[in-house]
Amino acid sequence: MALDKETFDQLRDTLARFVRERLMPLEFKVAEDNAIPEEIKAAMRDMGIFGLSIPVEYGGLGLTMEEEARIAFELGRTSPAFRSIAATNIGIGSQGLVIDGTEEQRRKYLPRLASGELIGSFALTEPEAGSDAASLRTNARREGDHYLLNGTKRFITNAPHAGLLTVFARTEDPANPKGAITAFLVERGSPGLSFGPVDKKMGQSGSHTCDVMFDNCRVPASAVLGEKEGQGFRTAMKVLDRGRIHIGAACVGAAERLIDDSLAYAMQRKQFGQPIAEFQLVQAMLADSRAEAFAARCMVLETARSKDRGDPVATEAACCKMYASEMVGRVADRAVQIHGGAGYMAAYGIERFYRDVRLFRIYEGTTQIQQLIIARNMVREAQQKGTA
Ligand SMILES: Cc1cc2nc3c(=O)[nH]c(=O)nc-3n(C[C@H](O)[C@H](O)[C@H](O)COP(=O)(O)OP(=O)(O)OC[C@H]3O[C@@H](n4cnc5c(N)ncnc54)[C@H](O)[C@@H]3O)c2cc1C
């Protein structure tokens, strides 16, 4: 259920002020320390950021997809690491439970995910199974009223802090010799569960990933998400579908921030006796960035509204993720160019954004995987309509 307009506007304005006044001044420190200050996490918890997408009956704000996208526009305007600490609770770390969990599982975990007391992670990728997630090898063997999990998951966002992981593993399936994919809710502290060292990354310093290892990791049978074996891959795809709109929105926010910074720089930096913003070749870069960010904003909002109406949006969500993540890469590249040498220097922060936004084209389905989804859906729709 949507918030009433006044309450939502208040939330968005408070968040926009928080981003401007508290988060932006900390961007260099977070990158330097590779950590989000505790008081910032606490303030984000107080604002309800961790529970944006979790239904009200489980303690969240229960925002519509459009509202969530509008919040992601604002959060996207600062270092992605700030969003990332809450992003798994908003998206991949909670939505499996929201979409396919049993009532008991929802009641057990969602209120603590919504408050941010518990951090949720989503463990699908493996060393040998990335884009081809369906080839995952982590295995779960039933033993009485427990399962034993064995395998390794790779690059798992927020795993170093996670209290709950949604883990995808193969269970026995008489119809399929490779086994069916089942999702498990694995709590930190489960016997046989361990975590690798925090990964060193190109960007998004302050946001952490690591390997997650399962060595005869013992979980109760009640840990099967939805208490149904063999549903895991479908759940993962539904979760990722939804997340693509949110990531598209975060890319729009980052692009709009980079455009503001580029315009401000271009208006004050003088060469040949005049502000560089007066040179038409610089104006072309500003205009291209503005038009592309505007296009992505419109795509995200239109898709979010369709989703809120209950329309199928798999193709459109993939379009949003693909276009917005590629768009912000181009905008960041132009931002470096507009800043000239300063754009390349760490002191200005533009090169940091350039590295930070690179990730958006890779995780939750690379650009190539979005292209495959879009094209496959186009072919399927044409076949169904009988136009091909
Ligand atoms: C910082 C970070 C955080 C992450 N967080 C999580 C997380 O929380 N949970 C999680 O489960 N995973 C997470 N991932 C993993 C991420 O989703 C994968 O890295 C991504 O899906 C790509 O998989 P891969 O790295 O194995 O690359 P590969 O699949 O090996 O792809 C390599 C290249 O080949 C291309 N390619 C692959 N298949 C095809 C094809 N059929 N057609 C055309 N091109 C193709 C890809 O597009 C890419 O360019 C994270 C990754 C990073 C870097």
Side-chain angles (χ1 to χ4, degrees):
M1 199 184 67
L3 295 181
D4 68 76
K5 187 174 176 323
E6 201 181 322
T7 312
F8 177 74
D9 287 349
Q10 218 170 15
L11 170 71
R12 194 193 46 196
D13 295 348
T14 305
L15 178 71
R17 202 167 49 246
F18 178 71
V19 166
R20 219 171 34 243
E21 293 174 5
R22 302 275 309 275
L23 303 188
M24 286 183 182
L26 284 170
E27 287 171 354
F28 284 97
K29 182 175 163 47
V30 163
E32 185 81 11
D33 298 351
N34 192 17
I36 312 279
E38 282 308 318
E39 67 271 18
I40 292 297
K41 290 187 207 166
M44 287 171 76
R45 281 197 283 266
D46 290 347
M47 260 187 271
I49 301 298
F50 287 81
L52 291 181
S53 61
I54 295 176
V56 176
E57 60 266 42
Y58 305 107
L61 294 181
L63 299 191
T64 62
M65 196 68 234
E66 182 183 349
E67 289 169 339
E68 184 184 324
R70 289 186 185 279
I71 293 294
F73 290 156
E74 301 301 333
L75 262 178
R77 294 182 63 85
T78 185
S79 293
F82 290 114
R83 190 193 61 89
S84 184
I85 187 67
T88 50
N89 282 34
I90 298 169
I92 56 180
S94 72
Q95 291 304 304
L97 265 165
V98 171
I99 298 169
D100 283 334
T102 63
E103 188 53 26
E104 200 182 333
Q105 289 169 338
R106 290 183 186 146
R107 297 227 166 267
K108 185 168 177 192
Y109 297 116
L110 287 178
R112 284 187 293 145
L113 287 168
S115 69
E117 176 196 336
L118 189 67
I119 296 293
S121 280
F122 174 90
L124 180 66
T125 304
E126 299 183 355
E128 306 299 330
S131 299
D132 184 12
S135 70
L136 65 85
R137 292 185 193 164
T138 297
N139 164 278
R141 186 163 42 85
R142 179 129 193 183
E143 268 203 354
D145 56 0
H146 281 78
Y147 286 85
L148 292 179
L149 271 63
N150 281 286
T152 299
K153 295 291 179 180
R154 179 133 297 170
F155 307 148
I156 305 306
T157 302
N158 286 334
H161 316 287
L164 179 72
L165 296 114
T166 307
V167 179
F168 297 86
R170 288 195 183 280
T171 43
E172 270 182 31
D173 177 7
N176 178 358
K178 279 170 126 189
I181 296 176
T182 298
F184 290 87
L185 298 165
V186 180
E187 294 182 9
R188 195 179 202 91
S190 299
L193 173 68
S194 61
F195 298 86
V198 172
D199 298 316
K200 290 192 178 140
K201 311 196 293 323
M202 174 194 275
Q204 300 214 4
S205 180
S207 158
H208 305 139
T209 64
C210 70
D211 277 7
V212 183
M213 281 83 73
F214 305 87
D215 181 10
N216 279 329
C217 172
R218 198 174 155 81
V219 297
S222 59
V224 172
L225 182 71
E227 291 190 352
K228 265 196 226 127
E229 283 191 5
Q231 302 296 310
F233 198 67
R234 237 165 287 158
T235 300
M237 294 306 113
K238 283 186 263 183
V239 167
L240 291 171
D241 231 25
R242 187 182 185 290
R244 288 179 182 134
I245 306 174
H246 180 106
I247 291 185
C251 293
V252 170
E256 291 176 349
R257 160 72 183 280
L258 283 161
I259 293 166
D260 286 354
D261 286 2
S262 299
L263 178 62
Y265 186 81
M267 289 171 74
Q268 60 84 22
R269 171 72 178 166
K270 286 198 174 112
Q271 285 297 287
F272 302 95
Q274 65 192 89
I276 60 168
E278 289 173 14
F279 297 126
Q280 290 183 346
L281 296 178
V282 173
Q283 291 179 350
M285 288 192 274
L286 289 167
D288 284 352
S289 291
R290 177 71 188 263
E292 291 185 24
F294 178 51
R297 176 179 265 266
C298 295
M299 285 170 77
V300 164
L301 286 174
E302 175 65 19
T303 306
R305 287 187 201 114
S306 297
K307 182 162 177 50
D308 288 335
R309 285 194 301 268
D311 299 340
V313 294
T315 307
E316 290 75 9
C319 290
C320 287
K321 205 274 182 178
M322 177 180 82
Y323 182 79
S325 63
E326 293 285 336
M327 174 280 294
V328 74
R330 291 191 293 272
V331 169
D333 188 70
R334 290 186 201 112
V336 172
Q337 200 65 16
I338 291 167
H339 282 76
Y344 199 74
M345 296 295 157
Y348 289 79
I350 297 295
E351 64 83 33
R352 189 189 61 241
F353 259 104
Y354 178 82
R355 287 182 288 107
D356 284 353
V357 301
R358 187 64 183 80
L359 178 59
F360 292 125
R361 291 156 63 185
I362 296 172
Y363 68 178
E364 297 201 27
T366 62
T367 290
Q368 290 68 39
I369 294 306
Q370 308 308 323
Q371 287 173 320
L372 294 184
I373 294 170
I374 296 164
R376 274 184 202 148
N377 289 349
M378 288 167 66
V379 171
R380 192 177 311 133
E381 280 162 27
Q383 282 167 343
Q384 281 165 357
K385 280 189 207 147
T387 53

